[in-house]
């Protein structure tokens, strides 16, 4: 990947379009990106990352943060364009984040969605071709071409030196998080989690099976109650080894005991059945004798009762015979009774019908009444025309009443419409004013929202500025104290070193021995060895003083670095507070406002925005009210016109009704006569006609009923004589009803049947023989039979219980065997998965170093990184230091991610935290470059022709700086360029190609320089 050109517009501190020509910087190999604190050096790297991935590095991607420059003009869109080559393809990426822009119509702002464009240049024609405008497609294309995620890109291409200093000194946990993110070892962690899940699942299945097996064992123990096996039930818990064998063995013993108990119960049941059969036979014999003796006694008693009822039976038979003769007279008797009832009813109806007629018609015959009826019907027919006229007159009156009601309703509607329409114009003007006021409030609320967010950011920056001002004072005090301690330690070390040098002769003389050569002159004679003075110090004291001085120097350097960082943060906060703000905020832009002043401004803007937003929220309601009023106006006008039309039509209709009513009144006077209405006259005639019709019919029915009664009397007298009765009354007395006759016949038949049954019973031989025997003894036989029956039921119940127990034990044993067979594969699977899970989790005894699978993979990656970093670290440290990976455990933690440094001067391996500030920088830089190489290989060997290294060079001395720059210069192999982001002034002299970021009140700008000459800005 090689960067060619970067264009930044309204992004971060850059208000206008700034162009970075990487093609002009790349030939030098090394180029310097420098500028004052807060100018925007890091924003250049953020722009590169945003163009590629649509977001800035994670540490600077704050939630809800905006990438837009506060210095940019309102009409200028925030945009980043990056031209680069990846895999022999020349691409151009343009991105715009979501941002506020002025509305095209009206005032205020609207949110413009994020946009992205990807183009590719044809190498043959040089023309650009659009590839996509989709965020997702472009993101997938760039990630696939680079072979790296955003986090990997920020760690490999934008080398964050500060992060690697922490990585160098971090513990295994923090180091594992970064490596896991860069090398994406989540799949190995997923394997560990999956194996752990499988282990728990398999364990649950096995324990569940054991619980079912123990439940079966408990049920078998309950079923085996009373057996010897029930006294020693199975004991154990889920997961116990050998549980299955114990349960099966116990079940086999219980089944054997149950079968033996069944055999014993069968023998006892057979004996009880024999005793019960003998007792049953004896009881049946006694019962038979008792029954035959009772039958004989009962027959004698029944014969006596029949003799007592013989006279009654003869009377019943005589009554039945007379009833049969009277049946021949029954039809004539029925006809006589019917004719008598009909005659009485007809006479009663005739009396009631004649009672309602005038007295002069009390003795009138049927023909006279019919003639009067015909005259009244003729009179009724003459009233039909008058009745039709009366009905029409009623309809006319009803229609006239409806017209009067409608006229009153239309008058009320016209009056209401006139009153409402008189107030229409003032109401319309008021509603339109409400709509206009709400729209103006909406525009004002949107404008205030655009001013409110910058004011809030300035307030937050002012609070950070005040807090950081105190931190700066504290950091300055710590730096002064560190400098004082460093100077003191330096003087003490120089003093100790001077005293040791003054007494070095005595120190050498202390090691002389008689006959041994001198270390200085080589002589074996030592006539006057030097003596140590009182203030002489040894080498250990000098080294201790030097170590104290070195620590003080490191503390001073750290204090200077902390002060610089704190001042940079404070300056950035001041810059943000002093950033351009609306002129209406009430402050002089040249002055630095206080937190209280900015808080008042924010509170005022929030209050105004809330008021405007509340008023703007009523826009829809006001518009709806105006629209409803307009619709009601149109409805009122239409209703007024319709009412006026109905009034005109109703006048002509009322006149036509009046003329028709006058013509009908003359005919109605003739038809009513002496009655109030024609209908009343007609109703009176209809009632009189109906009365005459009923009376004539009743008279005719009475005459006919008298004739029928006389004929019935004659037929009845003749029938009684022929049947043998003297009078019809005698025949009627002998006549019986069906119910009474059936009762007499049943009594006669019952007496005869009982007499035959008693004779048969007394003639039976067995009955006569039983009468001659002694009385039967049922109580003794029944008691013996009950005793044998109870014994049989007890034996049968015992056998059934034994068989049921045997069946239950056999069934439960088969279930237990099935469960054991089903649990076999589950136990084998659990053992296999548990072994793998504990091995990958680092808790198995087979895993000697207690390393998890993910840690093992990361350890291999870390070993590769340490090897790649060592190649450069040896050169930077003049061959002194080597980075090595360690598998050793630290305390109770697991092993695998240790990182140590080997000092060639001492040959000892020590912790990376013991490195000095400068040593830490070049060690972390070598680690960063080594990690970049390994991640690049992991990503598929993507060629990285442009790299950036961020800060840290100020901690190096001149010689080390030269060596580090030589290593970085070696990265230029195969046309690679490296950008250094630093404040170190000496780098401006050592690195000719420079990209300078210049800070200004109206935004930052960039300038390119090669050999000290400006190329553009």
């Amino acid at each position: 990947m090689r960067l060619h050109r970067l264009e930044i517009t309204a992004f971060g501190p850059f208000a206008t379009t700034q162009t970075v020509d990487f093609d002009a910087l790349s030939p030098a190999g090394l180029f310097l990106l420098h500028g004052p604190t807060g100018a925007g050096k890091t924003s250049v790297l953020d722009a590169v990352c945003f163009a590629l991935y649509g977001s800035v590095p994670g540490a600077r991607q704050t939630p809800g943060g905006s990438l837009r420059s506060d210095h940019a003009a309102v009409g200028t869109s925030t945009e980043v364009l990056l031209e680069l080559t990846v895999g022999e393809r020349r691409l151009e990426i343009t991105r715009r984040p979501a941002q506020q822009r002025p509305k095209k119509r009206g005032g205020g702002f609207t949110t413009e969605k994020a946009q992205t464009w990807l183009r590719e240049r044809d190498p043959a024609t040089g023309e650009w071709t659009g590839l996509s405008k989709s965020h997702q497609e472009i993101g997938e294309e760039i990630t696939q071409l680079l072979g790296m995620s955003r986090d990997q890109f920020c760690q490999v291409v934008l080398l964050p030196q500060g992060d690697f200093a922490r990585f160098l000194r971090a513990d295994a946990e923090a180091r594992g998080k970064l490596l896991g993110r860069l090398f994406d070892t989540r799949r190995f962690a997923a394997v560990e989690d999956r194996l752990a899940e499988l282990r728990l699942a398999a364990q649950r299945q096995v324990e569940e099976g054991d619980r079912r097996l123990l439940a079966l064992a408990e049920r078998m123990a309950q079923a085996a109650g009373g057996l010897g096996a029930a006294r020693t039930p199975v004991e154990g818990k889920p997961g116990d080894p050998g549980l299955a064998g114990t349960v099966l063995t116990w079940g086999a013993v219980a089944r054997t005991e149950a079968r033996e108990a069944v055999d014993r119960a069968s023998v006892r049941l057979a004996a009880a059945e024999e005793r019960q059969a003998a007792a049953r036979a004896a009881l049946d014999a006694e019962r038979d004798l008792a029954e035959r003796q009772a039958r004989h006694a009962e027959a004698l008693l029944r014969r006596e009762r029949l003799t007592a009822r013989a006279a009654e039976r003869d009377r019943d038979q005589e009554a039945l015979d007379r009833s049969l003769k009277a049946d021949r007279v029954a039809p004539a008797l029925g006809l006589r009774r019917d004719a008598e009832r009909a005659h009485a009813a007809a006479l009663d109806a005739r009396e009631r019908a004649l009672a309602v007629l005038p007295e002069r018609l009390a003795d009138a015959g049927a023909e006279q009444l019919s003639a009067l009826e015909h005259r009244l019907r003729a009179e009724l027919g003459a009233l039909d025309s008058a009745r039709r006229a009366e009905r029409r007159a009623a309809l006319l009156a009803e229609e006239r009443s409806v017209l009067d009601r409608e006229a009153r309703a239309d008058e009320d509607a016209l009056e209401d419409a006139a009153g409402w329409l008189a107030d229409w114009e003032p109401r319309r003007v008021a509603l339109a004013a409400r709509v206009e006021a709400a729209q103006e409030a909406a525009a004002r609320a949107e404008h205030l929202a655009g001013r409110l967010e910058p004011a809030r950011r300035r307030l937050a920056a002012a609070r950070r500025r005040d807090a950081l001002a105190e931190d700066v004072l504290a950091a300055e005090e710590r730096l002064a104290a560190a400098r004082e301690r460093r100077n003191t330690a330096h003087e003490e070390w120089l003093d100790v070193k001077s005293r040791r040098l003054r007494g070095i002769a005595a120190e050498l003389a202390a090691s002389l021995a008689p006959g041994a050569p001198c270390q200085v002159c080589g002589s074996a004679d030592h006539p006057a060895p030097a003596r140590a003075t009182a203030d002489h110090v040894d080498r250990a004291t000098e080294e201790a003083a030097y170590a104290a001085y070195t620590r003080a120097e490191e503390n001073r350097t750290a204090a200077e670095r902390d002060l610089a960082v704190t001042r940079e943060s404070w300056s950035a906060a001041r810059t943000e507070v002093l950033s351009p703000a609306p002129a209406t905020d009430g402050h002089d832009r040249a002055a630095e406002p206080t937190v209280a002043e900015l808080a008042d401004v924010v509170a005022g803007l929030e209050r105004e925005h809330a008021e405007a937003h509340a008023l703007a929220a009523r826009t829809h309601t006001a518009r709806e009210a105006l629209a409803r009023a307009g619709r009601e106006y149109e409805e009122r006008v239409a209703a007024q016109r319709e009412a006026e039309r109905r009034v005109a039509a109703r006048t002509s209709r009322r006149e036509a009704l009046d003329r028709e009513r006058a013509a009908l009144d003359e005919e109605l006077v003739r038809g009513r006569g002496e009655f109030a209405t024609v209908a009343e006259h007609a109703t009176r005639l209809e009632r009189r006609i109906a009365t005459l019709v009923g009376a004539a019919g009743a008279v005719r029915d009475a005459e006919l009923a008298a004739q029928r009664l006389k004929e019935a009397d004659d037929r009845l007298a003749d029938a009684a004589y022929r049947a043998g009765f003297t009078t019809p009354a005698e025949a009627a007395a002998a006549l019986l009803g069906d119910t009474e006759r059936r009762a007499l016949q049943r009594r006669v038949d019952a007496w005869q049947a009982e007499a035959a049954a008693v004779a048969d019973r007394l003639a039976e031989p067995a009955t006569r023989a039983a009468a001659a025997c002694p009385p039967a003894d049922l109580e003794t036989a029944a008691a013996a039979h009950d005793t044998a029956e109870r014994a049989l039921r007890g034996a049968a119940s015992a056998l059934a219980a034994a068989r049921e127990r045997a069946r239950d034990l056999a069934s439960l044993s088969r279930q237990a065997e099935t469960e054991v067979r089903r649990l076999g594969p589950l136990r084998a699977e659990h053992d296999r998965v548990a072994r793998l899970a504990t091995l990958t989790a680092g808790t198995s005894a087979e895993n000697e170093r207690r390393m998890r699978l993910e840690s093992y993979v990361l350890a291999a990656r870390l070993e590769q990184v340490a090897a790649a970093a060592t190649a450069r670290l040896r050169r930077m440290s003049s061959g002194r230091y080597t980075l090595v990976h360690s598998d050793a455990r630290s305390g109770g933690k697991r092993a695998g991610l240790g990182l140590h440094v080997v000092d060639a001067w001492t040959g000892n391996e020590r912790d990376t935290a013991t490195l000095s500030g400068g040593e830490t920088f070049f060690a972390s830089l070598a680690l960063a470059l080594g990690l970049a190489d390994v991640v690049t290989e992991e990503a598929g060997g993507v060629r990285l022709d442009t790299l950036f290294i961020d800060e840290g060079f100020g901690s190096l001395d001149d010689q080390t700086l030269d060596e580090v720059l030589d290593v970085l210069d070696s990265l230029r192999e195969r046309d690679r360029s490296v950008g250094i982001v630093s404040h170190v002034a000496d780098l401006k002299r050592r690195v000719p190609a420079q990209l300078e970021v210049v800070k200004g009140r109206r935004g930052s700008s960039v300038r390119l320089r090669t050999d000290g000459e400006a190329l553009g800005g």
Side-chain angles (χ1 to χ4, degrees), residues 267-285:
V267 173
R268 287 194 294 270
L269 177 62
E273 287 175 345
E274 293 178 358
R275 289 191 296 272
Q276 189 269 347
R280 181 67 185 179
L283 177 61
D284 290 344

Side-chain angles (χ1 to χ4, degrees), residues 309-323 736 741 743-748 751:
R309 290 165 43 206
E312 180 182 356
R313 197 268 312 175
D314 294 339
R315 289 192 298 273
D316 290 343
Q317 185 64 50
E318 182 181 359
L320 284 174
D321 294 340
R322 286 176 61 80
S323 173
L736 295 177
R741 182 181 295 175
L744 291 175
Q745 187 65 51
R746 281 197 300 271
R747 288 203 295 270
V748 172
W751 190 93

Side-chain angles (χ1 to χ4, degrees), residues 63 130 408 634 883 947 993:
R408 289 193 297 273
E634 294 174 357
L883 280 175
L947 300 175

Side-chain angles (χ1 to χ4, degrees), residues 762-831:
L762 292 175
E764 291 176 354
T767 303
R768 290 198 303 270
C773 293
D777 188 2
L778 285 176
E779 293 183 1
T780 303
H785 176 266
D786 290 343
T787 301
E789 185 71 22
R790 286 194 296 273
L792 176 62
R793 287 197 297 269
S797 176
L799 177 59
R803 287 175 175 172
E804 180 68 21
R805 178 170 55 198
R807 282 195 300 270
D808 291 345
L809 285 174
S811 176
L812 292 173
S813 296
R814 287 192 297 272
Q815 294 179 34
E817 292 171 359
T818 302
E819 188 66 29
V820 169
R821 286 194 298 271
R822 194 184 69 82
L823 277 176
L826 294 178
R827 291 184 185 277
E829 177 68 12
H830 170 263
D831 295 340

Side-chain angles (χ1 to χ4, degrees), residues 288-300 761-776:
D288 181 63
L289 177 61
E291 182 180 356
R292 286 184 286 118
Q293 290 176 347
R295 285 163 61 87
H296 183 265
E298 181 187 7
L300 293 177
R761 178 68 56 81
L762 292 175
E764 291 176 354
T767 303
R768 290 198 303 270
C773 293

Side-chain angles (χ1 to χ4, degrees), residues 214 217-222 224 227-236 243 246-247 250-251 254:
L214 287 173
E218 183 177 358
R219 290 172 59 190
M220 284 193 291
Q222 294 174 353
L227 298 178
R231 293 190 291 272
T232 57
V234 176
E235 296 181 355
L243 179 63
T246 302
V247 172
W250 188 93

Side-chain angles (χ1 to χ4, degrees), residues 28-70:
L30 284 177
F31 64 89
L32 178 65
L33 175 58
H34 67 94
T37 299
K41 299 185 297 298
T42 304
S43 295
V44 174
L45 307 185
D46 290 347
V48 173
C49 184
F50 177 74
L52 291 174
Y53 294 96
S55 60
V56 298
R60 297 185 287 279
Q61 184 73 49
T62 58
S66 174
L67 302 177
R68 181 170 177 78
S69 174
D70 294 335

Side-chain angles (χ1 to χ4, degrees), residues 517-633:
C518 177
Q519 299 177 13
V520 179
C521 63
S523 174
D525 297 327
H526 314 297
R531 296 289 184 267
T533 61
D535 61 347
H536 176 66
V537 294
D538 56 10
R539 180 176 180 176
T541 304
E542 180 187 359
E543 290 179 349
Y546 178 74
Y549 161 67
T550 301
R551 287 193 298 272
E553 178 65 21
E554 291 176 354
N555 292 336
R556 180 194 64 79
T557 302
E560 288 179 347
R561 186 166 54 252
D562 292 343
L563 177 60
V565 171
T566 306
R567 281 178 174 170
E568 184 176 0
S569 301
W570 174 74
S571 178
R574 288 190 67 230
T575 302
E576 188 172 357
V577 171
L578 295 173
S579 62
T584 57
D585 62 1
H587 297 292
D588 181 6
R589 294 186 182 183
E592 187 169 351
T594 64
V595 171
E597 292 171 343
L598 292 175
D600 291 340
V601 171
V602 170
L605 289 174
E606 289 176 343
R607 184 171 58 257
E608 294 178 12
H609 177 265
E611 293 172 354
H613 187 271
L615 183 56
R618 295 194 285 270
T619 302
H620 179 72
T621 304
R623 286 175 176 168
E624 287 293 323
L626 180 59
R628 286 196 301 271
R631 290 192 296 271
E632 186 176 1
Y633 169 76

